[in-house]
Amino acid sequence: MLRASFVTAIRAFSNRNMSIFTQCLNPLTGVASWEEKDQYYDYHQEVARSAFADMLHDHERNEKYYIALKAAIEKKHQAGEEANVLDIGTGTGLLSMMAAKCGADTITACEAFKPMANCAAQIIKENGFEDRIKLIRKRSTKMIVGEGGDMPKRANILVTEVFDTELIGEGALSTFRHAHEVLLEEDSIVVPHRGTVWAQVVESTKVCAWNRVKPIKNGEMLVDAPPTIQACSGAAAVHDMQLSRLPRDAFVPLLPAQPIFRFDWSGKKPLLNNEKVSLLTQPIASGTAHAIFMWWDLNMDTDNQVLLSCAPVWEHPDVPDDMKKDATSLKKMTDTIPWRDHWMQAVYYLPEEVPITYGVEVNVIGYHDEYSFWFKLLNGPLNEIPDCQRPECNCWAHIAYSRTRIGQLNDTVRNQRYLQALRRKITPNSVCLCVSDGCLLALAIARLGAKVFLLEQNFLSRRTMEMFVQTNGLSDRVKIVESVDGLPEASEIDFIFGEPYFLSSIVPWENLRFWYLASRYPSSIARLPVAATIKAAAVEFKDLQKIRAPLGACEGFDLSSFDRLIQASSEKSDNPVEAQPLWEYPCKALSSSFDIIKLDLTRNVNFDERKRITGEIPILDSGCCNGVTIWVDWQLDSDLSISCGPIEEIVPGERISWDPYTRQGVHLFRKVFNVTKGSTLSWSFTFVPQSGEVEFEFDVLTND
């Protein structure tokens, strides 16, 4: 069952056992209900969300921590000192066990998340290090040093991994600073030793499309964007992205990639919560600066011999320079650099677009507080670095809509198909009802002469659309309706339209909310889209499966207890199908695409009908079947359709090209199947219209 849950939950006694009742909003029916859950549901949900198996699958990360830790322990021993290791945020205990294997004299590991601390204790015991590693179940900032404390004396080696996509977003600055002040000796070795943040200024209308809503044009201005939205710098939160998957022709570097912030984790230099720096740089091309790409690397050891880089492929130190200049070679090399979902690259949108001229120096100004970075560009040299507040949305649109949705609103091809279909239906005398959240195409209909009722139940989306209506002078043609109770009577409208898109929808088929709303009216009223087909394909993911794949052994250590902990909680709290932006996660098709169900949206929902459909589809290419992708195709009329899945025909054995402006559904198998031609994917689909329940089941039958 796929449900979007509210945060609200209450506890009640049921059959002498404690249970949790969680209020869930069904995204199809729009009805909220209370569901009884296992008494430990919130615990299992928290444990499942803490899964970081993809990080532990990162062999390069593990190996370089191992090498640097071994070097630190040997250096202390060569100096005639004990090697007393402190592991902050031990997680599974992996780094502590590495320290034990490398001959550390004492090891103290701390972990504040109790379920993970308990798991670490079990793993440490199972691997035979129970007498070597002391586990402290608290935050490092709460640890006490001294007789009777958590550590009898300060450590002289610190190993920790407290980094995220922004490097400092998990509180690295305060963690390292406190460790040096309270937990470490003066000449301690820290693994990693240093961190460097890199910045690259780029021009990219494709990337910019995820940040700013652009006007809709069709030979003429149909929908203009309010000045407040055009001038807004965007959401404050960083846009994390697998930049190596961004097509190389989708952006132009205007300035060379360069280090802009350096953090010395060793304690030799102070770690400041607030800094600002400027780099006077010679451009490598002329253009308009839209954004800054950011990534970071770590010098793992004191001799700077071990580098862990998160750079995208075109700047990665392990990619030869001659290959970086060749698009074909670069595409091949993309698969050779380590994949990480725990540390991606980031996009920072500039507060305003800045023209860059080759030959005219530009100042790249970087700022950071305790947790975040932001940037500004100024042409020419500076006498003083200006202050700049962290950009934040002041136009409401970036709060109302996700970046994926903003990209969708700016998708020219998608908009033109809708407009083409709508022009066939709309006349100046049309009275339309639009049931979609934040639908600018509804305003385009009004511009074409129709009168429009626009259902906007979400306050933020409604406020944003009011701005668009006012900017485009459409107040006399567009009436915004705040709730379903205020919808017009059937006699008042002659056409129902939707993109469909709803803020409450997570996976694509939840946008069938359009069908439910349209079914409030007689089916004799014309509708667009006219049909929805839920489609799927069996695939082999190159990397995405690692977010759920069991570890078993990791760098020679048995972590199966971690697998059991995460899997047990995931089965009790996770949906079997999740939403992912698959353009960032390569996969090879093992089957053709196939239809699960085609729904006729011109007929009203039959609430008395329960659909259960089963089927089989042949596997047409050999590989490792680790998942199934699911999406929806929307039929606008007899010959126009929109897909929120592949943008090209699926060819078994080839990689699938996915729409970058929607998220697709993904079912990851807990068991991986090695398949050949002749294997079969079996599936079943259950749909209960009355409750809005949707369930998928998949299995693979191999030739074995």
Side-chain angles (χ1 to χ4, degrees):
M1 187 185 305
L2 302 172
R3 296 280 179 95
S5 297
F6 285 158
V7 176
T8 309
I10 60 172
R11 297 177 182 271
F13 285 100
S14 175
N15 298 325
R16 298 184 180 179
N17 292 320
M18 185 76 80
S19 297
I20 294 177
F21 287 84
T22 304
Q23 191 179 42
C24 298
L25 175 68
N26 186 284
L28 271 69
T29 64
V31 176
S33 62
W34 290 97
E35 291 189 354
E36 184 177 357
K37 302 288 187 181
D38 180 274
Q39 62 175 320
Y40 300 113
Y41 174 77
D42 47 358
Y43 160 82
H44 290 300
Q45 198 169 46
E46 189 174 3
V47 170
R49 293 286 65 77
S50 72
F52 43 82
D54 64 292
M55 182 171 68
L56 294 168
H57 279 291
D58 185 349
H59 174 68
E60 186 199 34
R61 165 199 173 270
N62 300 339
E63 181 183 43
K64 290 186 173 180
Y65 262 96
Y66 212 156
I67 293 170
L69 190 51
K70 185 173 185 292
I73 292 169
E74 289 177 351
K75 185 166 285 192
K76 285 298 181 184
H77 285 166
Q78 288 168 1
E81 302 178 45
E82 287 187 347
N84 299 315
V85 176
L86 170 62
D87 175 8
I88 293 179
T90 194
T92 60
L94 178 64
L95 297 181
S96 288
M97 292 189 295
M98 287 180 179
K101 198 169 183 179
C102 290
D105 295 281
T106 67
I107 306 159
T108 303
C110 72
E111 175 58 54
F113 185 43
K114 290 184 179 179
M116 195 55 62
N118 294 336
C119 181
Q122 182 68 22
I123 289 172
I124 289 168
K125 180 179 179 180
E126 290 171 350
N127 283 273
F129 296 109
E130 188 177 20
D131 297 333
R132 300 280 308 280
I133 299 170
K134 181 180 181 181
L135 181 64
I136 306 299
R137 292 170 167 84
K138 62 171 67 171
R139 293 184 180 277
S140 63
T141 53
K142 301 295 184 182
M143 289 178 65
I144 299 172
V145 178
E147 187 175 348
D150 301 307
M151 292 194 301
K153 60 180 179 180
R154 294 188 178 212
N156 60 6
I157 296 175
L158 170 64
V159 61
T160 186
E161 194 281 89
V162 287
F163 310 114
D164 67 350
T165 290
E166 280 198 282
L167 184 66
I168 60 174
E170 290 186 359
L173 295 177
S174 59
T175 298
F176 281 108
R177 193 164 50 240
H178 175 269
H180 283 293
E181 291 172 355
V182 178
L183 305 175
L184 299 176
E185 294 179 358
E186 186 173 343
D187 293 323
S188 293
I189 299 175
V190 178
V191 180
H193 185 62
R194 291 193 181 93
T196 303
V197 173
W198 293 74
Q200 185 171 41
V201 179
V202 301
E203 176 182 82
S204 177
T205 54
K206 182 179 181 67
V207 170
C208 194
W210 277 300
N211 185 55
R212 255 186 207 106
V213 182
K214 301 293 185 181
I216 296 179
K217 299 178 182 179
N218 188 24
E220 59 178 325
M221 178 68 74
L222 290 179
V223 181
D224 200 1
T228 304
I229 289 178
Q230 295 192 50
C232 184
S233 57
V238 66
H239 189 180
D240 54 347
M241 188 186 297
Q242 298 281 0
L243 280 180
S244 290
R245 296 300 165 187
L246 192 67
R248 188 59 187 81
D249 60 1
F251 65 95
V252 177
L254 301 179
L255 301 181
Q258 53 199 321
I260 190 164
F261 288 108
R262 300 179 190 271
F263 298 96
D264 188 339
W265 310 125
S266 71
K268 300 296 189 295
K269 296 180 180 178
L271 293 171
L272 304 176
N273 280 354
N274 295 279
E275 286 186 283
K276 55 182 180 179
V277 299
S278 69
L279 300 173
L280 188 60
T281 309
Q282 187 67 242
I284 56 177
S286 298
T288 301
H290 291 131
I292 290 181
F293 292 165
M294 185 279 277
W295 60 89
W296 49 262
D297 57 38
L298 296 172
N299 292 99
M300 302 300 293
D301 61 321
T302 56
D303 296 326
N304 296 323
Q305 296 298 305
V306 183
L307 180 71
L308 179 60
S309 175
C310 293
V313 62
W314 66 86
E315 292 291 344
H316 202 283
D318 292 343
V319 176
D321 289 340
D322 59 332
M323 289 190 173
K324 293 177 181 177
K325 299 175 182 178
D326 180 71
T328 303
S329 298
L330 201 62
K331 190 174 183 180
K332 292 179 180 177
M333 291 300 295
T334 301
D335 290 339
T336 67
I337 64 173
W339 177 83
R340 300 184 174 100
D341 210 44
H342 49 286
W343 299 333
M344 289 191 274
Q345 298 82 38
V347 179
Y348 294 84
Y349 298 99
L350 294 166
E352 61 276 326
E353 297 179 355
V354 179
I356 301 294
T357 304
Y358 182 78
V360 178
E361 291 182 314
V362 177
N363 254 296
V364 183
I365 307 172
Y367 305 83
H368 78 79
D369 56 21
E370 188 174 356
Y371 302 102
S372 303
F373 299 100
W374 62 97
F375 300 90
K376 185 179 180 68
L377 292 186
L378 291 173
N379 285 307
L382 296 174
N383 294 324
E384 183 180 355
I385 302 175
D387 291 329
C388 177
Q389 295 297 314
R390 184 185 177 201
E392 58 183 28
C393 175
N394 56 17
C395 77
W396 297 88
H398 300 91
I399 303 173
Y401 310 127
S402 68
R403 290 191 172 96
T404 300
R405 173 56 174 167
I406 291 174
Q408 192 178 81
L409 292 172
N410 291 325
D411 186 345
T412 303
V413 173
R414 180 178 180 275
N415 287 340
Q416 292 305 320
R417 286 190 185 177
Y418 271 107
L419 288 170
Q420 187 179 348
L422 287 167
R423 284 180 183 276
R424 298 172 181 175
K425 299 287 187 180
I426 299 299
T427 71
N429 297 321
S430 296
V431 181
C432 307
L433 169 63
C434 177
V435 285
S436 282
D437 291 338
C439 182
L440 298 183
L441 293 170
L443 306 192
I445 293 174
R447 181 74 74 186
L448 295 174
K451 181 179 178 182
V452 179
F453 291 94
L454 179 58
L455 179 63
E456 284 287 354
Q457 295 179 270
N458 179 275
F459 168 74
L460 294 173
S461 182
R462 183 165 64 248
R463 179 159 181 168
T464 302
M465 293 303 294
E466 287 171 350
M467 292 169 55
F468 273 94
V469 170
Q470 184 176 359
T471 296
N472 288 276
L474 295 172
S475 299
D476 60 332
R477 305 206 65 79
V478 178
K479 179 180 179 181
I480 295 179
V481 180
E482 296 186 7
S483 71
V484 292
D485 294 333
L487 287 173
E489 298 293 330
S491 59
E492 299 179 69
I493 62 172
D494 53 34
F495 184 63
I496 302 174
F497 159 67
E499 293 194 48
Y501 170 83
F502 295 92
L503 293 170
S504 60
S505 300
I506 298 173
V507 285
W509 47 92
E510 289 177 349
N511 288 313
L512 287 169
R513 172 75 177 143
F514 164 79
W515 191 25
Y516 279 73
L517 290 167
S519 294
R520 290 172 168 264
Y521 293 90
S523 57
S524 57
I525 299 177
R527 299 172 187 176
L528 188 156
V530 296
T533 304
I534 301 177
K535 303 174 75 75
V539 300
E540 174 182 322
F541 284 108
K542 180 183 176 294
D543 296 299
L544 182 61
Q545 76 285 355
K546 295 174 186 175
I547 65 174
R548 298 288 179 266
L551 288 160
C554 179
E555 310 306 326
F557 301 99
D558 181 7
L559 299 189
S560 54
S561 286
F562 173 77
D563 294 336
R564 289 191 292 271
L565 171 70
I566 297 301
Q567 183 169 333
S569 290
S570 178
E571 288 177 347
K572 293 181 179 179
S573 64
D574 287 345
N575 288 321
V577 178
E578 57 189 286
Q580 295 285 353
L582 290 184
W583 75 270
E584 296 185 62
Y585 302 104
C587 64
K588 179 181 77 169
L590 297 177
S591 74
S592 299
S593 65
F594 61 93
D595 295 352
I596 290 180
I597 190 171
K598 184 173 182 178
L599 299 167
D600 184 352
L601 306 186
T602 65
R603 297 184 177 184
N604 286 347
V605 178
N606 183 349
F607 292 100
D608 297 325
E609 183 181 23
R610 180 182 186 273
K611 294 181 180 291
R612 178 171 172 80
I613 306 171
T614 62
E616 293 184 347
I617 190 78
I619 299 295
L620 300 177
D621 192 71
S622 299
C624 180
C625 186
N626 49 32
V628 178
T629 56
I630 314 166
W631 65 95
V632 177
D633 284 355
W634 302 94
Q635 195 69 36
L636 305 184
D637 57 22
S638 59
D639 60 351
L640 285 171
S641 64
I642 296 293
S643 178
C644 65
I647 56 177
E648 298 174 359
E649 183 180 354
I650 288 181
V651 178
E654 302 289 334
R655 282 198 175 170
I656 304 175
S657 297
W658 296 99
D659 175 25
Y661 303 124
T662 53
R663 291 174 179 255
Q664 294 75 35
V666 176
H667 172 83
L668 294 173
F669 288 114
R670 296 193 181 276
K671 174 187 175 183
V672 175
F673 300 93
N674 293 314
V675 297
T676 57
K677 290 183 179 180
S679 299
T680 303
L681 174 73
S682 65
W683 56 270
S684 68
F685 171 78
T686 303
F687 177 36
V688 184
Q690 182 70 41
S691 61
E693 294 179 17
V694 175
E695 292 183 356
F696 298 89
E697 291 183 6
F698 300 97
D699 196 9
V700 173
L701 305 175
T702 64
N703 291 323
D704 297 340

